[in-house]
Amino acid sequence: MAGTVALSVAATSITRTRATTEPALVRWTLIGVVLVFLGLFLAVPLAAVFSEALGKGVAAYFAAFREPDALAAIRLTLLTAAIAVPVNLLFGVAAAWAIAKFEFVGKNLLITLIDLPFSVSPVVSGLIYVLLFGLQGWLGPWLAEHDIKIIFAVPGIVLATIFVTFPFVARELIPLMQAQGTEEEEAARVLGAGGWQTFWRITLPNIKWGLLYGVILCNARAMGEFGAVSVVSGHVRGLTNTVPLHVEILYNEYNSTAAFAVASLLAMLALVTLAAKSIVEWKSQRQMAAGKRTAAEGKVR
Amino acid sequence: MSIEVRHITKTFGDFTALKEVSLEIPTGELIALLGPSGSGKTTLLRVIAGLEVADPGSGAILFDGEDATSRSSRDRQVGFVFQHYALFRHMTIFENVAFGLRVRPRKVRPSESEIRERVSALLKLVQLDWLAARYPSQLSGGQRQRVALARALAVEPKVLLLDEPFGSLDAKVRKELRRWLRRLHDELHVTSVFVTHDQEEALEVADRVVVMNEGRVEQVGTPDQVYHHPANPFVYNFLGNVNLFNGRVEGGKVHIGDMAMELPEQMRPDAETAVVYVRPHLLEIDHQPTNTNHFRARVEHINPAGPLVKVELISEWGDPVQVEISQERYRDLRLKKDAEVFVTPKEKKIFVEKYSI
Amino acid sequence: MALSLKQRSVLPGFGLTMGFTLLYLSLIVLIPLSATFLKTAAMSWSQFWNTVTEPRALASYRLSFGASLIGAAINMVFGMLAAWVLVRYSFPGKRVVDAMVDLPFALPTAVAGITLTAVFARNGWIGSYLEPRGIKVAFTPLGVVVALTFIGLPFVVRTVQPVLQDLDAEIEEAAASLGASRWQTVTRVILPALLPALLTGFALAFARAVGEYGSVIFISGNMPMRTEITPLLIVTKLEQYDYAAATAIGVVMLVMSFALLFIINLLQWWSRRRYA
């Protein structure tokens, strides 16, 4: 969709005539208003992160990362993402395959249910696991009996992260695979390919950019999640603190420089995410546009 | 390989795409499935390919007399050319054609050099060997179409199935390609079935034409048979332009205006009305009344562009009538708008309608 | 084809993928969510009602909903403008600006929270201009609005942008050829066409803002009755081991988000029907 969009923009901006655009004065005023608004709300805070982080010099900045608690937080965040992203990736591919390649009753309901975690407040996302696995929860007594700790421990953090990043890959892949249809897979089947062969050789190459896009977004959220993780973590320093939680602790201890230094790490992650996202978006749009183009040309009579 | 379709029914929810369809296709024939959209022709093709499963308990598909109904499309050894080609967009042309060989189990997979040889030979056959390294998006529609064909042939199918193979191409390429397909078939002699909604295409390319409508087979026959001896009004109507005249049946004859035509003997003599079908080029125009059956008409519009001159008339009973005459005849007649003329059907087909109008 | 049943498809793997999808969805999402609703069943109705309508809770709803509404409204206006500028005009650095719009999605909320606080605090870059003029942002309800505007910023832009891009230039030319002024064309032809997308973006931004936690708690100051948002109240109740109250308020929020989700789906259905 977006690929054809990009092409049409290029075309219309050339052919746009006087009758369908505004006078230069109006144009530049609007551009100015938007840039000031986005500057105030996006650029200034972003710049402030780095300014505050480096406010007491480079040495103080790097000192924040040498602390064992900070390193433990980074390790836990990486571990959490390393579990949450692959399982949601697996789920996303499976769900998209079932939804995009087959027809069944209740498909729209299923898509809505998959999107559900996005509309739940992060705090509530954490709360539901506390109510399930916490001491007061449904399974709490049983877990306590068997000495299994989920809430205020790493498994709880991983579970809450999986919940809040649940839909990312699936919601990228479902529309992409629906748009691509099933003809290529059918062709592969008729040519004698097995199920896995069809998936690995035909489907996966066609969705790789959309898949990567979903993974990038999923990873950013998994590493940056605060509310849900905060509820289930228990804030044990060096044990159940992720990087965002570590930022909060440092900030609440009035260790502002260290807080912003660690925050700058997350801000850089955000910038890398945005850059990677833009590149992948461009690539996947081309993939989608190429698919659409061949399909569209095919349909012209 | 011969194909036999026995009493196949296929429904999609409330919609019945195929109703008890039966069909026999002998080895080596080139068959066209012809019909309007929604007639079930593509569904029938997909059922033969195993891409669609017929309703449970509704009949069988036989390949060479063997029941293949439960065989998966993978095991049916059919080559299928998709309407929009379904080329793998992330593979080169060469890899597209090689795909069916590469996915074979190791035991029966040809060696790399054999694959190369076979793919090159196929690309030569479809005259595209110079494009082997390109990607599908870099090819024209006609080229993609031929790649799709080469890919289907690579697995040495016993049956070749083509879904609207020329539907997506512009008129000129379409004509070239269908002659080429006919020649290719004469070379390879693999049993082939293609779907089309274009009667000209079906009549020109196929050995036999299967005319379909609303999920049923209306007629099966050679192009000559279906064109000149249509089994029913639908087939007559679908294969080319036609004028309809409603007549009364009286004393074994059909009366339209002053004309009276013999009702063929096998027609029901008790019918009250009949419809006479005449193709535009089988109507003759004259300024004088002829001694045979004729009716009067007024010239409404003349379009002399094209190999035949198309004349639109209004008959004496007020219906529009289309006539095609040669340029020569048109010059001889010196037809003018609003001229009074006499029209004589040279050849006609009479059908007794099942209902009275 | 559209109606063909799943078990008759030639592609394999429906049972496997569908089974896994349903199992995973149930384990991660459906069972925990239903368990939460069941948990409130342990409370009596009057207990539940008293908990969710105590003055502190009511004050938090007012703040959460009020600030979210204002934030979403600000985003509707500026998001529409930003989408317009990004689609229709060209200016240097447009691609970067376009990519930056997604920053609130990518920046962890805790980071957003502490930076916005730093920027709008008395000695911050913007706060130091505003406070002498009597405008206090940090640690006031206004601060909550600022944070919720930040995190909802991409929604309206990203829902309006594609619709604006797909809008046929011909309809504008048609309006112009029929004698409409540019202003009339924009207000009578373009804006109505964008309305469903605008409302969808508004609803998405609002829904996100109501549940937001990380970016708000630093800038709000968290004074009960004044600057305490509902998600924070849940966390406070949890920290006081008042699980029943936390659950009750959590269920209120869940019901709200489902209602919003339903409205958003309706809006999207409406806009799809309009542009189909």
Side-chain angles (χ1 to χ4, degrees):
Chain A
M1 173 182 74
T4 50
V5 159
L7 295 173
S8 68
V9 173
T12 48
S13 61
I14 296 163
T15 56
R16 202 158 276 284
T17 51
R18 278 226 125 143
T20 53
T21 191
E22 290 73 40
L25 182 69
V26 178
R27 233 162 39 220
W28 285 105
T29 312
L30 288 179
I31 293 174
V33 169
V34 167
L35 288 184
V36 167
F37 177 76
L38 294 182
L40 274 182
F41 274 90
L42 301 178
V44 169
L46 190 63
V49 179
F50 293 99
S51 154
E52 295 276 341
L54 294 164
K56 290 207 177 117
V58 180
Y61 179 80
F62 284 108
F65 300 111
R66 275 199 292 275
E67 230 193 304
D69 287 351
L71 293 175
I74 293 173
R75 264 199 302 277
L76 180 58
T77 291
L78 291 177
L79 172 75
T80 308
I83 300 171
V85 176
V87 293
N88 280 336
L89 169 68
L90 199 65
F91 162 73
V93 172
W97 181 268
I99 288 170
K101 304 288 180 193
F102 300 90
E103 293 302 326
F104 53 90
V105 191
K107 187 187 271 199
N108 286 328
L109 177 68
L110 183 60
I111 295 175
T112 308
L113 288 179
I114 288 173
D115 262 350
L116 210 55
F118 275 170
S119 55
V120 174
S121 166
V123 167
V124 177
S125 311
L127 175 73
I128 60 174
Y129 287 106
V130 173
L131 295 180
L132 201 57
F133 299 116
L135 265 181
Q136 313 280 318
W138 294 101
L139 300 173
W142 186 85
L143 290 171
E145 233 169 76
H146 293 78
D147 207 23
I148 304 169
K149 232 172 133 48
I150 290 182
I151 297 307
F152 305 143
V154 175
I157 292 175
V158 173
L159 269 177
T161 306
I162 289 177
F163 181 91
V164 295
T165 58
F166 184 86
F168 277 107
V169 179
R171 67 148 41 183
E172 267 330 303
L173 290 186
I174 291 167
L176 178 68
M177 280 167 73
Q178 276 177 331
Q180 285 178 344
T182 56
E183 248 198 7
E184 284 186 45
E185 279 84 3
E186 285 177 359
R189 290 291 279 173
V190 178
L191 290 168
W196 286 110
Q197 280 176 320
T198 306
F199 176 75
W200 285 109
R201 288 169 181 248
I202 305 302
T203 310
L204 200 59
N206 277 339
I207 61 170
K208 64 179 175 207
W209 291 113
L211 193 84
L212 194 56
Y213 188 83
V215 165
I216 288 169
L217 295 184
C218 183
N219 179 65
R221 182 75 192 266
M223 290 190 170
E225 178 53 27
F226 178 73
V229 171
S230 166
V231 170
V232 296
S233 129
H235 306 274
V236 185
R237 289 189 81 150
L239 280 180
T240 60
N241 261 349
T242 61
V243 177
L245 296 179
H246 189 61
V247 170
E248 184 201 18
I249 287 180
L250 292 171
Y251 187 81
N252 287 342
E253 286 170 350
Y254 300 102
N255 191 349
S256 169
T257 306
F260 276 101
V262 178
S264 75
L265 203 64
L266 292 172
M268 279 187 276
L269 171 74
L271 288 178
V272 170
T273 300
L274 288 183
K277 187 171 155 293
S278 297
I279 294 168
V280 170
E281 219 162 32
W282 184 67
K283 292 262 187 194
S284 73
Q285 280 169 3
R286 287 210 321 182
Q287 191 173 52
M288 209 161 183
K292 282 238 162 158
R293 204 158 50 236
T294 39
E297 279 170 20
K299 272 170 196 141
V300 174
R301 287 268 147 80
Chain B
M1 188 162 72
S2 70
I3 308 170
E4 194 184 338
V5 176
R6 273 193 202 157
H7 308 295
I8 288 291
T9 297
K10 171 75 187 170
T11 50
F12 297 110
D14 297 337
F15 177 69
T16 308
L18 295 174
K19 292 172 203 157
E20 290 273 320
V21 169
S22 296
L23 187 63
E24 272 181 62
I25 302 167
T27 308
E29 242 188 28
L30 177 54
I31 295 277
L33 300 181
L34 174 66
S37 59
S39 60
K41 54 195 193 305
T42 294
T43 307
L44 179 56
L45 194 75
R46 289 172 65 89
V47 169
I48 295 173
L51 288 169
E52 219 74 73
V53 182
D55 288 359
S58 86
I61 303 284
L62 282 73
F63 285 169
D64 269 344
E66 271 178 55
D67 191 344
T69 319
S70 55
R71 267 186 234 165
S72 81
S73 54
R74 238 186 125 180
D75 306 323
R76 288 201 188 188
Q77 288 190 288
V78 297
F80 199 98
V81 176
F82 289 81
Q83 187 177 0
H84 308 305
Y85 320 133
L87 295 181
F88 306 132
R89 66 198 102 166
H90 62 284
M91 293 181 193
T92 60
I93 299 312
F94 184 93
E95 286 304 320
N96 260 284
V97 178
F99 182 86
L101 302 172
R102 290 205 196 282
V103 295
R104 285 192 183 168
R106 189 154 293 144
K107 274 178 283 171
V108 290
R109 192 189 306 157
S111 70
E112 186 59 33
S113 61
E114 277 174 290
I115 291 178
R116 285 197 171 278
E117 223 165 89
R118 192 157 344 144
V119 173
S120 319
L122 274 166
L123 285 175
K124 257 196 204 95
L125 180 72
V126 298
Q127 298 151 9
L128 288 174
D129 39 338
W130 53 292
L131 288 174
R134 300 271 183 92
Y135 284 90
S137 60
Q138 297 167 303
L139 266 58
S140 74
Q143 290 168 336
R144 278 184 216 165
Q145 158 62 240
R146 282 182 282 158
V147 174
L149 197 59
R151 184 178 70 176
L153 290 172
V155 293
E156 295 175 322
K158 300 278 174 55
V159 179
L160 189 59
L161 305 172
L162 307 98
D163 187 7
E164 295 266 2
F166 316 112
S168 325
L169 304 169
D170 58 57
K172 193 162 170 291
V173 182
R174 194 187 308 190
K175 281 201 172 141
E176 278 168 22
L177 264 179
R178 68 192 190 209
R179 268 178 227 127
W180 176 81
L181 176 72
R182 181 67 237 185
R183 282 200 307 274
L184 191 76
H185 180 262
D186 293 342
E187 251 173 69
L188 302 172
H189 270 294
V190 53
T191 314
S192 305
V193 184
F194 74 99
V195 159
T196 180
H197 63 270
D198 180 342
Q199 35 102 6
E200 201 186 312
E201 194 168 287
L203 298 178
E204 188 183 315
V205 179
D207 294 325
R208 285 200 303 152
V209 178
V210 179
V211 185
M212 294 188 67
N213 182 39
E214 293 183 337
R216 286 181 219 279
V217 173
E218 298 281 357
Q219 188 176 5
V220 183
T222 62
D224 183 58
Q225 282 169 343
V226 294
Y227 188 79
H228 291 295
H229 307 285
N232 55 41
F234 173 82
V235 177
Y236 204 105
N237 241 323
F238 194 70
L239 295 175
N241 291 329
V242 70
N243 291 297
L244 276 71
F245 303 97
N246 291 308
R248 287 170 290 109
V249 177
E250 242 176 62
K253 289 191 171 182
V254 186
H255 299 269
I256 302 165
D258 293 340
M259 294 186 294
M261 284 162 278
E262 288 291 331
L263 195 64
E265 274 179 23
Q266 71 272 25
M267 297 267 172
R268 294 180 356 211
D270 57 323
E272 288 182 354
T273 61
V275 185
V276 178
Y277 289 76
V278 190
R279 299 219 183 272
H281 67 277
L282 295 174
L283 284 167
E284 253 173 20
I285 301 182
D286 217 323
H287 291 299
Q288 262 69 51
T290 53
N291 48 6
T292 51
N293 274 320
H294 60 245
F295 62 91
R296 272 176 301 148
R298 184 173 52 77
V299 177
E300 175 79 4
H301 181 76
I302 303 167
N303 173 14
L308 291 172
V309 178
K310 296 176 193 71
V311 185
E312 269 175 44
L313 307 170
I314 301 291
S315 68
E316 56 187 286
W317 48 89
D319 287 340
V321 178
Q322 288 179 2
V323 183
E324 287 170 5
I325 54 174
S326 68
Q327 296 280 359
E328 209 180 356
R329 178 82 185 140
Y330 170 62
R331 276 193 299 275
D332 289 350
L333 281 171
R334 295 163 204 257
L335 274 187
K336 291 269 155 45
K337 186 170 156 43
D338 290 329
E340 278 276 310
V341 291
F342 294 86
V343 186
T344 314
K346 281 189 287 190
E347 234 181 73
K348 66 220 167 256
K349 182 90 188 173
I350 302 171
F351 293 104
V352 175
E353 295 286 281
K354 293 184 189 86
Y355 47 92
S356 54
I357 297 159
Chain C
M1 228 80 61
L3 289 164
S4 86
L5 291 170
K6 68 235 171 204
Q7 54 274 50
R8 310 222 185 119
S9 171
V10 291
L11 295 177
F14 180 77
L16 180 73
T17 54
M18 192 63 175
F20 178 64
T21 300
L22 291 180
L23 178 74
Y24 190 72
L25 179 71
S26 306
L27 286 181
I28 299 290
V29 181
L30 300 182
I31 292 173
L33 280 177
S34 345
T36 308
F37 280 99
L38 281 176
K39 195 88 187 168
T40 52
M43 298 170 85
S44 74
W45 173 250
S46 63
Q47 250 178 314
F48 177 82
W49 187 250
N50 288 337
T51 314
V52 301
T53 56
E54 62 158 347
R56 192 170 163 189
L58 290 179
S60 82
Y61 304 147
R62 256 197 305 279
L63 177 66
S64 273
F65 285 92
S68 299
L69 268 179
I70 298 170
I74 294 173
N75 278 324
M76 187 153 83
V77 175
F78 285 95
M80 165 73 219
L81 280 184
W84 180 269
V85 164
L86 287 173
V87 171
R88 290 301 172 89
Y89 306 149
S90 57
F91 54 91
K94 181 167 133 174
R95 289 192 71 141
V96 177
V97 173
D98 197 359
M100 284 295 290
V101 166
D102 283 330
L103 183 72
F105 284 163
L107 194 69
T109 54
V111 178
I114 63 169
T115 14
L116 287 173
T117 313
V119 169
F120 285 96
R122 190 178 311 138
N123 53 357
W125 288 353
I126 297 177
S128 59
Y129 281 96
L130 295 179
E131 289 222 353
R133 289 165 181 78
I135 306 170
K136 265 177 71 81
V137 178
F139 316 123
T140 68
L142 188 56
V144 180
V145 172
V146 167
L148 295 183
T149 307
F150 173 83
I151 55 108
L153 195 150
F155 287 101
V156 177
V157 186
R158 293 299 183 227
T159 48
V160 172
Q161 228 175 352
V163 182
L164 197 53
Q165 261 161 346
D166 282 348
L167 207 61
D168 200 342
E170 267 184 18
I171 68 159
E172 290 171 55
E173 286 167 0
S177 75
L178 292 167
S181 72
R182 187 62 192 151
W183 177 247
Q184 284 171 319
T185 305
V186 170
T187 52
R188 297 194 184 192
V189 177
I190 299 174
L191 276 183
L194 296 180
L195 191 64
L198 260 176
L199 289 178
T200 306
F202 175 84
L204 286 170
F206 179 74
R208 170 73 202 264
V210 168
E212 180 55 23
Y213 176 70
S215 59
V216 181
I217 55 161
F218 297 98
I219 202 171
S220 68
N222 305 331
M223 279 166 290
M225 304 300 294
R226 216 172 93 70
T227 58
E228 185 179 54
I229 53 166
T230 311
L232 181 73
L233 185 60
I234 296 176
V235 173
T236 312
K237 296 282 181 199
L238 270 181
E239 279 168 359
Q240 294 162 350
Y241 299 104
D242 189 351
Y243 283 83
T247 312
I249 300 169
V251 162
V252 170
M253 291 214 66
L254 272 179
V255 170
M256 271 306 304
S257 19
F258 293 161
L260 281 169
L261 186 69
F262 180 69
I263 292 171
I264 290 164
N265 274 350
L266 272 186
L267 282 170
Q268 275 165 345
W269 172 77
W270 177 36
S271 70
R272 257 202 308 279
R273 219 182 44 156
R274 194 171 245 217
Y275 305 117

